[in-house]
Each structure stands twice: as C-alpha cells, then as structure tokens.
Amino acid sequence: MSFVIDQVRRIDGQLDRLQVSGLERDAPEIATTDDLRSSRFARTLTHDPVKTSRFAHLQNLVKSLSTTASRTPVLPRSRVLSALREAGFSSEGAISHVHEAEEPPEEEQEDEEEQDFEHELEWALIGKATVQTYGILLDTLLDATVPLAEDIRYWDDVLGSYRWSAVYSVQTSPLRLWTWCGTVFQDVKNKAEGTLLSEGWSRLYGLVGEVVRERSVMEVQKRIVSPLVRARNEARLKQNALEESRYLNANALGMLLGEGLSNESIHNNTLTSPSNGSTAHNHPIRWKSVVMRNIALMEAVLQHVSDPALTVDKFDSAISATIDEDPYYESQEASLADHGVSFRPVELAARLESILQPRMDDYKTHAQEVMRSHGRPPRLVRYWLPMSIALVSSSTVLRILVNRKAAILTWIRELGVTVIDFWSNWVVEPMRKVIGTIRHDEASEVSIMSKRSLEGDRASLERMVVDFAVDNPEGPRLTENQIADMRVKVKEGDLTPVLKAYEKDLQKPFVGAVRGNLVRALLIQIQKTKVDVEVAMGGIDSLLKSQQLVFGFVGLTPGVLVCFGLFRWLNGIFGSRRGQQQGNKQGQMRRGLRNIDRILTSSKPTQDYGELYYKDQGLLLCEVQALRHDASLTLPKAAFGDFVDDLADLLDVRTGVRRQRRVVKRLRWAYSKWL
C-alpha cells in the first residue's frame, strides 16, 4: 500500500457515505409528502425497460469505479476512460434548485424526478471518476518525482570526486565525439550544397579540413579548460535541471494536497455526511462544487507542470491565474446556492477525459524527456569500455579455452575426485568411527597391541623362571608350594633366583658363559624386559581407549572445519546479497529520515498557520513515500502498521511544522531497532 492508495480509499469511502446519507435524507420526504408520485415513478421504471436499463447501466459504472471493485484501489486510466465513454452523458443540463418555488403539475414532477435521478447517477459517476483521476495524477507525479532523487545523488557522486568525474568523462566521450562529427558533417553538407560528389574526393577532404579548422577557432575558448572541467560543468548543469524539475513536481504535488480532494476530505466538512438544517439542504451542491474545483485544479496543474519554460517561483502564480479564469473553479457555494447553476456532467466528463488522455500523456512524455536528457547515462554508455574490452578479448579467451580443453577437463575431473575423496575420507569415515565408538563397536576400538600378547609373554616368563629355579636349586629340591609361591612372585616382577645366578656368573663371566647359566639368565631378563614393556604399552592402550571418543572428534575436526569454511565462503558469495540489500534498505531509511528532518528544519512555514509551503509539502510526500516503501521491506508486519500511522501524522501538514518535527523524533526512537 502507498499514500495514494490510502487517500483514494478514504475519499472514495467518504463519497459513498455522502451518497448513502443523501438517499436516507430524501427517503422520508418522499414517503410523507407525495406517496402517489413515488408510486407512479416506480411503476414507470417497472414498465419502461429503456429507463430501467439506463439506470442499471449507470449504477454498474459507478460500482466499477469504486475502490472495492478491484484489487488495486487506484484503477488504470483505460478503465476510467472506458467508464466515462460508456456512460453516454446527456447533453441537457439539470438545474439544482435550492430555493422553494411553486410546485409544477404531477406529470411534470414525475418527469423532473426521473431526470433528477438520472442526473444524480451521472454526478455520482463523475465524482467517482474524479477521485480515481486524482489518485492517478498523484501516483503519476510521485512516480516521476521520486526517481529524480536517485539521479541527483548520482550527479553528486560525479561532482564529489575528480576520479568519478574522470570516469564520467571517459564514459561520455563517444557521445561527444559523435555529436562533434555530426556537427562537422552538417557544416560540410551546408557548404557543399549538393556539388560535393561531382567535384571528387579531394574537394571533400579539403572541405572537411576547412570545417574542422573553423570549428577549432570557434571552440578555442573551450580548449582553455580541461575536458575534466567541461565534464563537471555538464554534470552540474544536468543536476540543476533535475533539481528544478523535482521542485516543480513537488510544488504540483503540494498544491494537489493542499487544495485538492485530500484537503477537502480531511479538514473541511464538504465530503462528510451532512448533519441537519441548511447544511444538509445545500450539501449536494457543495460536494459537486468541490468536484468541479478539483477538476479545474488538476487540469491547471497538468497544464503548467509540463511547461519547460516555467520556473518554480512562478508556478503558484501561474496556477492561480489559470484557475481564477476557470468558471468551474469560480463556482463557489454561495453563488451556486443563490442562482441554481446548471451542472453539466457531460462537460465535466470531457474535461476528465482531457486530463487522463492528452494532458497526462504530454506530462509523461515531458518527464521521460527530462530523465533522458538530464538523468544518469544509460548502461550502454556507462559500461561501453569494459564491454568493448570483453568483446575484443573474447576471441583470445575462446582460443585459450579451446587449446587447453583437455587440460581443463582433467582439472575439472581431478577437482571432482578430490572433493569426493575428501568428503569420504575426512568427513564420512571419521564420523562413522565416532558413531562406532559411541556404540562400543569392537571394530572401531583404538589399540596399539594385541589383546592376549601380554598374557602369553607373562606365562612364558613364569615358566622360564620356574624351570631355571628347578634346574638350579640353592638347597634341597623345591616343593610344589615353593614353586607356587615363586609363580606369584614372578607375576609381581620378582626374579630373585635368576638374579642370584646372574650375579654369581658375573664374577667369572667367561666361565659363566661357557659352563654356567649366564646366557640363560640374560635371556630370562630380556623376556622380563619385554613383559615390562608390554605392561607399559597396556597402560597406554587403556588410556587411549578411555579417550577414544576425543580422538574420534579430533580426527573429524579438520574435515568439518574445511567444510564449514567452504560453506561460509559460498554463503558469503551467493547469500550476502540478501543481507546487503537489507543493510541498504536500513541505510536508505536513515537517509530518508535525515531528508525529512532537513525539509522540516530548513523550510520556512507560513506566517498565518505555521504550515509548510506547497513545494515543501511535495518534497515531504516524496520522501515519506520512499521511506514507506523501504520500511515495508524491513519492518515486521505489526511494527509496519504503527509506522504507517506515524507517517500519516507526519504528512498532516495542517498540524504545523513543530508537531511534524516531534513526529520525526518519535520515529527515530520508536523504530531505532530497524534503523
């Protein structure tokens, strides 16, 4: 939704309530004063299919121009024009009598009642068409004014730095060259006078050289300044032209808001339901007078806003001079009530068609011409240099791609295989091991030695020590109890019998090695060392098993980190656009609030009421419209509804500039979360 849609819905709703209140006001009078005449009128409508069809046709047209007849409250121009052309307004004017007069005969009263009923239906259609035309005109002016701010900011960027000025100079250099060549060609053509081809190419070259020298002398002053300065002057002139057009459109918008239907529906009681007394008696004439004045106002605004020779300072006086000479705008309520002016809907319909068709088309053509002449250059002009480079180098790039086709395909294939292997070996397989560890899967257990290796080596050591002790007893033969005690001591690491024999043989090592048990004792000690090493390894193995889940996650971490970084990088490339757009919208909202505050601060309110002038009202409306559009894409639904209410308070210029500034402060602290 936009400001224009809100205005059209509100004005259309007030017009509907006005029509309903008029029917309710007239119904008791008909029923009590002349029941016989009403019954005759009803019978006439029943037995006259032509009149019945005429009334039904007008009612359908009135309904088709209501805001509830379509999804878009502001209907297209073609639909409004079609309704006006299909209405078939009668050329005879019906007089709206206010003062009492002698009652005519019953038959004449019946005919007059039929004419009045048809006349009121035609006026209802004119009112609906006027509301739609008012909305279409506001929408057209907004669509032509709001984009001008973007182009003005573009010229600000160009003038803000010499680098961008140089870029603009390079971008527009082909256009300047084309313009200069066209001028030279025209001068050569004017001097040749059709005899150039018959005199030969030498004459052509000489004439071109002469024209170039003459133009060089004529443009000697331009050569004093650099091309960069000329480009900046050109940009400044275009920016001034856009600002002038923006101020002119804003002035037109402000005048339509301050003098049009929006002002009548808010601050005057013309489009509200009448209460009683003379106000109720004169109310039909009053709202018809408002419709007539607004038609004259819209026509005058469209007439002067399309005038390229008109400046902002003279716009208000030109509009005032035009509408003062318009008989429809001069038809005030007092004169209408005193003289019973004849309203002709057919004339108003013709003026509405003139507003919708030729005048609005002329304005759109004028606005497009302003944008084309003074707006930012087209994309083809701005990007001709990189496009030319890409076009020139495209053949070389294509040749390189064709020559290295096999290598490129190999790179792509190897890249795919590398990605698949990485995913399988560093992500999927470690994850399977972690899951197996969690589920105590034997296949996934971490171990540095076999399960029963220590038991076999320890049993072998026991047997070696026992056999050594039995073969070399220190006293009598060992009993079974002594052998059992020795086995227990060997399990605890006690090798006393072997060590005693080892110490004894070390006294005479050569004899012990040849005839003694030195070699056997050494081998038993080596087995003991092996058992001790396996015991230590078993402890380490137990420690690894207790931390097996930690090691599983450590093995999974590199693959997860690489995948996470890759996904973040891809998201930064493809997904950052949305976040960037969100940030841009918030920046635009802050800039819009800044512009609104600047308009309210720098404006000079009127001395009588402390309100904004028409130009400032139009600029405020344009900024609020852009701010509302950005807020609809940024704010949540609940907050956006409150935001729209605050914007409505901001646009109510009749409250004064001071209250509008307080509304801006409320917008800043209430919606700072999204700004």
Side-chain angles (χ1 to χ4, degrees), residues 14 187 352 581:
Q14 291 178 351
D187 293 344
L352 286 175
Q581 290 178 354

Side-chain angles (χ1 to χ4, degrees), residues 246-278:
R246 183 168 179 259
Y247 291 151
L248 196 65
N249 292 339
N251 208 340
L253 282 170
M255 181 162 289
L256 289 176
L257 292 178
E259 302 291 340
L261 289 174
S262 296
N263 178 53
E264 296 287 348
S265 61
I266 295 178
H267 301 286
N268 298 335
N269 58 354
T270 308
L271 294 180
T272 56
S273 301
S275 56
N276 52 18
S278 60

Side-chain angles (χ1 to χ4, degrees), residues 470-618:
V470 171
D471 294 340
N472 301 288
E474 294 181 355
R477 187 178 180 82
L478 297 176
T479 62
E480 293 294 333
N481 292 333
Q482 291 176 339
I483 293 174
D485 292 339
M486 188 176 296
R487 291 181 183 276
V488 173
K489 291 180 179 180
V490 171
K491 289 181 179 179
E492 293 176 355
D494 187 3
L495 302 179
T496 301
V498 177
L499 293 177
K500 287 182 178 180
Y502 178 70
E503 294 172 357
K504 182 180 178 181
D505 291 336
L506 280 178
Q507 295 176 358
K508 296 180 179 181
F510 293 103
V511 176
V514 176
R515 300 177 56 185
N517 297 315
L518 182 59
V519 176
R520 188 177 180 184
L522 287 173
L523 293 175
I524 292 173
Q525 290 186 59
I526 291 174
Q527 181 67 20
K528 175 63 171 59
T529 304
K530 180 181 178 183
V531 171
D532 292 339
V533 172
E534 289 183 353
V535 170
M537 295 296 292
I540 297 174
D541 199 14
S542 300
L543 181 62
L544 290 177
K545 289 181 179 180
S546 65
Q547 301 296 324
Q548 186 174 356
L549 187 61
V550 175
F551 289 122
F553 279 110
V554 170
L556 182 62
T557 300
V560 172
L561 290 178
V562 172
C563 293
F564 179 75
L566 182 62
F567 289 152
R568 285 291 302 270
W569 179 68
L570 293 176
N571 186 35
I573 294 177
F574 298 102
S576 62
R577 184 173 299 177
R578 181 178 179 182
Q580 185 178 3
Q581 290 178 354
Q582 187 77 7
N584 291 338
K585 293 299 180 184
Q586 293 177 352
Q588 291 177 4
M589 289 180 63
R590 289 192 295 269
R591 185 167 61 247
L593 280 177
R594 177 258 181 192
N595 294 336
I596 291 173
D597 185 77
R598 187 169 181 266
I599 291 172
L600 297 177
T601 304
S602 60
S603 63
K604 295 181 180 180
T606 58
Q607 298 180 357
D608 298 334
Y609 303 102
E611 301 173 2
L612 295 174
Y613 285 99
Y614 291 147
K615 184 187 73 174
D616 297 327
Q617 291 183 27

Side-chain angles (χ1 to χ4, degrees), residues 4 7-8 11-12 15 61-62 65-67 73-75 80-81 83-84 89 122-138 256 259-262 264 271 287-299 345 347-353 355-356 360:
V4 177
Q7 294 294 314
V8 171
I11 299 171
D12 187 78
L15 192 61
L61 291 178
V62 172
L65 294 183
S66 298
T67 55
V74 181
L75 302 177
V80 181
L81 286 170
L84 291 174
F89 294 102
E122 291 178 351
W123 262 105
L125 180 60
I126 291 295
K128 292 283 187 177
T130 303
V131 173
Q132 290 295 332
T133 305
Y134 182 75
I136 293 172
L137 181 55
L138 285 178
L256 289 176
E259 302 291 340
L261 289 174
S262 296
E264 296 287 348
L271 294 180
W287 78 264
K288 293 174 184 177
S289 174
V290 169
V291 170
M292 295 170 63
R293 291 200 302 270
N294 277 275
I295 291 175
L297 177 64
M298 290 187 292
E299 191 173 20
E347 299 176 0
L348 296 178
R351 297 190 68 169
L352 286 175
E353 292 182 13
I355 293 173
L356 291 171
M360 199 166 292

Side-chain angles (χ1 to χ4, degrees), residues 17-19 21-22 25 269-284 286:
R17 289 192 295 272
L18 183 64
Q19 298 294 333
S21 64
R25 184 183 67 250
N269 58 354
T270 308
L271 294 180
T272 56
S273 301
S275 56
N276 52 18
S278 60
T279 302
H281 189 68
N282 296 334
H283 214 295
R286 294 178 58 191

